[in-house]
Amino acid sequence: MSMIYLPSCKFTSYSPEASKNIKNYLSENYDMQIGGCCRPDHKKLTNRDTVVYICNTCAAFCTEDSSAEKVISLWELLDNDKQFSYPDYGHKKMAIQDCWRVYDNTSQQKAVRRIIRRMNIDIEELDENYDKTNFCGVSLYEPLPKQNGDFAPKRFIENAEDLFLPHTKEEQVALMKEHGAKINANEVICYCTSCINGINLGGKKGRHLLDLMFGLEPK
């Protein structure tokens, strides 16, 4: 059986240093294979492969449209890792933004929170959290990329009623600012780059969870 990490094209572009760090860590500590872009590569997975993902869209593709035996988040893997060295943020208060693309993945959401607490971050929970979240930045207010619907129709079509409807840029900004106004903390932890972009557009400071784990400031 092979373990394969899908590093996410969008996350690698967003935080090259954190992406490089985690790929090295997984290779050295788990003998994990590092994959490429999930869009072509998920078709190559076999029923002997375990996929570890950081991108929630990659998760949907691999779950619905691949032969992988198991698909788990990076956060669930690291939550059970006794070797990873966490920085200490001294009980700094940050909000946690759950992503709609994994609104029903309670195991991932709980792993995220356990990791945050290990870094001595005090969590502000939003009213629309866990399976109540309906947030993924402006991506839910733009037309759905056709390939997303082809590869993961349950996630992106059947379970996406009233989402992916076109909005103007002005409307998108207004929606993000409305969302940001509901959050008390200035810094908001995300585990999705689309969520971070939306949080920043709404006037808050988005922090990617993996950046925090490696002690990196956002670009």
Side-chain angles (χ1 to χ4, degrees):
M1 182 180 77
S2 298
M3 291 187 73
I4 301 169
Y5 174 61
L6 295 179
S8 171
C9 301
K10 288 186 177 180
F11 177 72
T12 299
S13 176
Y14 172 80
S15 186
E17 186 174 357
S19 185
K20 179 181 178 181
N21 288 349
I22 195 61
K23 285 187 281 189
N24 289 340
Y25 183 85
L26 295 175
S27 296
E28 293 169 5
N29 292 277
Y30 291 88
D31 194 27
M32 196 175 296
Q33 297 179 31
I34 307 301
C37 176
C38 71
R39 291 182 183 271
D41 283 5
H42 79 276
K43 296 281 192 180
K44 304 173 185 176
L45 298 167
T46 75
N47 59 8
R48 299 179 62 191
D49 294 328
T50 292
V51 176
V52 179
Y53 65 86
I54 188 171
C55 167
N56 299 322
T57 299
C58 297
F61 293 171
C62 292
T63 299
E64 293 191 39
D65 195 49
S66 85
S67 299
E69 179 182 26
K70 187 176 182 181
V71 181
I72 66 167
S73 69
L74 176 66
W75 321 118
E76 292 163 275
L77 181 79
L78 295 180
D79 180 37
N80 292 301
D81 187 321
K82 307 303 181 186
Q83 300 182 73
F84 195 91
S85 179
Y86 292 94
D88 188 332
Y89 287 92
H91 293 283
K92 191 171 187 178
K93 185 70 172 284
M94 300 185 194
I96 173 65
Q97 176 63 64
D98 285 313
C99 177
W100 170 83
R101 292 170 193 254
V102 283
Y103 71 87
D104 51 356
N105 192 333
T106 306
S107 178
Q108 175 175 334
Q109 293 161 342
K110 289 184 175 180
V112 162
R113 285 158 172 81
R114 285 191 291 267
I115 287 172
I116 292 171
R117 292 190 181 98
R118 287 193 189 110
M119 295 186 284
N120 280 327
I121 295 172
D122 294 337
I123 299 173
E124 175 192 341
E125 287 283 2
L126 308 185
D127 290 338
E128 296 176 349
N129 60 358
Y130 290 95
D131 62 349
K132 298 189 295 293
T133 186
N134 204 28
F135 188 82
C136 191
V138 301
S139 70
L140 302 184
Y141 303 104
E142 298 173 331
L144 176 71
K146 181 180 182 301
Q147 201 174 55
N148 287 23
D150 291 342
F151 290 160
K154 289 182 181 178
R155 174 61 63 209
F156 292 114
I157 297 176
E158 295 174 25
N159 295 335
E161 186 177 0
D162 297 327
L163 300 177
F164 300 109
L165 301 177
H167 288 66
T168 66
K169 294 296 183 184
E170 292 77 12
E171 289 171 333
Q172 291 174 357
V173 171
L175 286 163
M176 295 303 102
K177 289 188 179 298
E178 180 182 342
H179 182 77
K182 301 175 185 176
I183 304 173
N184 293 318
N186 180 55
E187 295 182 87
V188 183
I189 303 170
C190 304
Y191 44 92
C192 161
T193 56
S194 293
C195 287
I196 283 184
N197 292 335
I199 289 295
N200 290 339
L201 193 59
K204 297 293 182 176
K205 183 179 181 181
R207 303 293 304 272
H208 198 283
L209 179 55
L210 196 59
D211 278 347
L212 287 168
M213 292 170 68
F214 284 117
L216 300 173
E217 288 290 331
K219 61 180 181 180

